[in-house]
Amino acid sequence: MKTPDPDDLHKQLESGPLKQSGFTSKLQGDIEEAIERKERAKPKVRPLLCFAGLGAIAAAILLFPWSTIHTQSDAAPAMDTSVTTASASTSSSPAPISTALLIGLRTEHESNNTEAQHALGPIRYSTYRTMLIAPVRGQLQKTSEGTGILMPYKQNFWKIDSLVHKTKTDEVHYLSAHLADQPVKPEVFPDQADEQLNRVETLVFAGNQYVSIAESEEAWRGNAPYQAERIWVRTLPQLKEGHTVQFYNKPVDKNHVSLTDLYSSSISSLLPNVPSSSTKLLGEITGQSWTVQREPGRWVGKIAETPRNSPATPDSYVLHDFPRELPDKVINHDDLCCSWSAIQSSWPLATDALTSPMNDMIVIFENGKLKFYPYGQAPGNAPQLSIDLQPGEKLVMAQWATDHYVQEWIDKVGRYLNNDQVPLSSSDEVDNGKVEKTR
């Protein structure tokens, strides 16, 4: 019997009225036979080949070097369980460090005014230093160190220097921001013969866009003492704009970043939920005054409660926890490899810690030292680099460089920090003791 062609069958169906209603038994049989013939012609997968293919896939999964894959997301849970456990398998050959750390530190001092006629008490002020820690030919080194805070800002490096302006009655410690390749320009402050004034600006935090500044003033006007404090977050250009002094005159300081500027007006609904002070301050929380403060292993936001505006009330503030995480544009690359409790389980005497964005370096603040470890090195081993801290020295800035920026930072930071001597006027001096020119 000749096998019917399916195309012929379709022509029969489309060729006009059938001779009888529906399919004939012969046409139905021809269709069924054609379908069966196509099914028999389809290739069939042999069971043996199926099992062989599955076996090859399983072997590939088992033999793939999964341990070579390393990301921050899978490293953090392992370290949270135990820093020692996470590093046990790699302590014999930890991955080399390829990241550079630009770190800024602050040390507080107390100075007694030696002028006999000066009725004010001692001044508490701060000095600063910046170091670059980077790998050089496979070995982690301190490649540069200098006074002040050197920080990356957009496509340039900026320098924040702490300067002091002294007269017979006044002592002003102030912060000067400028491009790192430009000299410092000392500033002029008002000096009144019937007034004694101590003023101090303190850099609390430096990111790559924002800085936090605490300001304090103590004055003696005639027979009346006066003390006041303010705290702000500013951009570098705002810090460069100048300084607001003589707080007893209640000057308005517009050169700052409010929380509304940072989060938009939606943040206003959170401010009433911030618990107010239990002291007698009886102030208000407006979101204009706030700061970035260091806690073990992280930067946090603190919002200031300030007195309601009154000519008779000196400026002051009380800090409260801010109920929201700070955005990355304020505290970029501030993620610790693991929880603070996990850090303390391996370094019980640690007071602070940093982790590089590439998770190739852990920095431990411990026993008055900075200790640098490759990621994966057991805590019991010696650090790859150890640097002494000054008594009471605190972290102000931690900025990271990766890839080709490491060598670029080594070159630029070395040039800027090694040439940090600046010309000053006869009534100004640098707060680091290297330059002292006073009237």
Side-chain angles (χ1 to χ4, degrees), residues 338-355:
C338 44
S339 68
W340 179 245
S341 60
I343 290 288
Q344 286 198 309
S345 68
S346 298
W347 291 278
L349 299 179
T351 58
D352 205 348
L354 299 167
T355 305

Side-chain angles (χ1 to χ4, degrees), residues 6-238:
D7 294 333
D8 293 338
L9 297 176
H10 284 291
K11 290 180 179 179
Q12 293 181 38
L13 292 172
E14 297 172 352
S15 62
L18 297 175
K19 297 178 181 179
Q20 64 182 54
S21 60
F23 292 139
T24 63
S25 58
K26 179 179 180 302
L27 182 58
Q28 182 176 352
D30 289 345
I31 293 174
E32 291 174 353
E33 184 177 351
I35 293 173
E36 289 178 4
R37 184 170 177 270
K38 285 193 174 184
E39 289 294 328
R40 287 195 301 269
K42 289 182 179 179
K44 288 185 169 52
V45 181
R46 296 180 181 179
L48 182 59
L49 293 178
C50 288
F51 286 112
L54 291 174
I57 294 172
I61 292 174
L62 291 174
L63 295 176
F64 187 82
W66 298 101
S67 61
T68 61
I69 297 179
H70 177 73
T71 63
Q72 184 171 355
S73 59
D74 60 18
M79 291 294 288
D80 266 337
T81 303
S82 170
V83 177
T84 306
T85 302
S87 60
S89 61
T90 58
S91 59
S92 58
S93 57
I97 294 175
S98 60
T99 308
L101 171 63
L102 188 65
I103 188 169
L105 302 166
R106 175 175 70 89
T107 303
E108 195 170 79
H109 307 270
E110 185 172 291
S111 171
N112 289 314
N113 199 298
T114 57
E115 297 289 344
Q117 70 273 29
H118 209 285
L120 300 177
I123 302 173
R124 298 197 66 83
Y125 67 96
S126 293
T127 58
Y128 308 86
R129 65 168 171 159
T130 302
M131 296 182 290
L132 181 64
I133 313 300
V136 178
R137 293 183 292 276
Q139 183 62 38
L140 198 63
Q141 300 180 17
K142 180 176 70 174
T143 62
S144 302
E145 179 177 353
T147 60
I149 297 296
L150 181 71
M151 55 184 288
Y153 179 67
K154 297 184 178 180
Q155 301 300 316
N156 301 296
F157 279 93
W158 280 56
K159 186 86 180 295
I160 300 178
D161 288 303
S162 179
L163 307 179
V164 56
H165 175 88
K166 287 184 178 181
T167 68
K168 290 183 178 180
T169 57
D170 298 347
E171 183 168 334
V172 179
H173 295 255
Y174 65 100
L175 299 170
S176 175
H178 58 95
L179 283 165
D181 58 358
Q182 296 181 2
V184 176
K185 295 181 179 179
E187 299 184 34
V188 177
F189 295 89
D191 187 12
Q192 298 182 6
D194 61 342
E195 167 198 88
Q196 295 180 16
L197 175 68
N198 287 347
R199 173 179 168 79
V200 178
E201 293 180 351
T202 302
L203 182 66
V204 180
F205 163 79
N208 63 0
Q209 293 188 57
Y210 302 94
V211 295
S212 182
I213 311 292
E215 302 174 345
S216 65
E217 280 190 358
E218 183 180 9
W220 192 277
R221 305 179 66 209
N223 296 321
Y226 182 92
Q227 286 185 324
E229 295 178 317
R230 294 180 174 186
I231 194 162
W232 307 106
V233 170
R234 307 184 194 273
T235 63
L236 272 178
Q238 287 174 338

Side-chain angles (χ1 to χ4, degrees), residues 337-371:
C337 66
C338 44
S339 68
W340 179 245
S341 60
I343 290 288
Q344 286 198 309
S345 68
S346 298
W347 291 278
L349 299 179
T351 58
D352 205 348
L354 299 167
T355 305
S356 65
M358 301 297 291
N359 265 357
D360 60 352
M361 184 199 305
I362 298 178
V363 186
I364 302 296
F365 293 66
E366 183 182 42
N367 289 330
K369 295 180 181 293
L370 282 176
K371 299 180 179 180

Side-chain angles (χ1 to χ4, degrees), residues 94 207 240 312 333 410:
K240 189 176 182 296
H333 302 311
I410 290 174

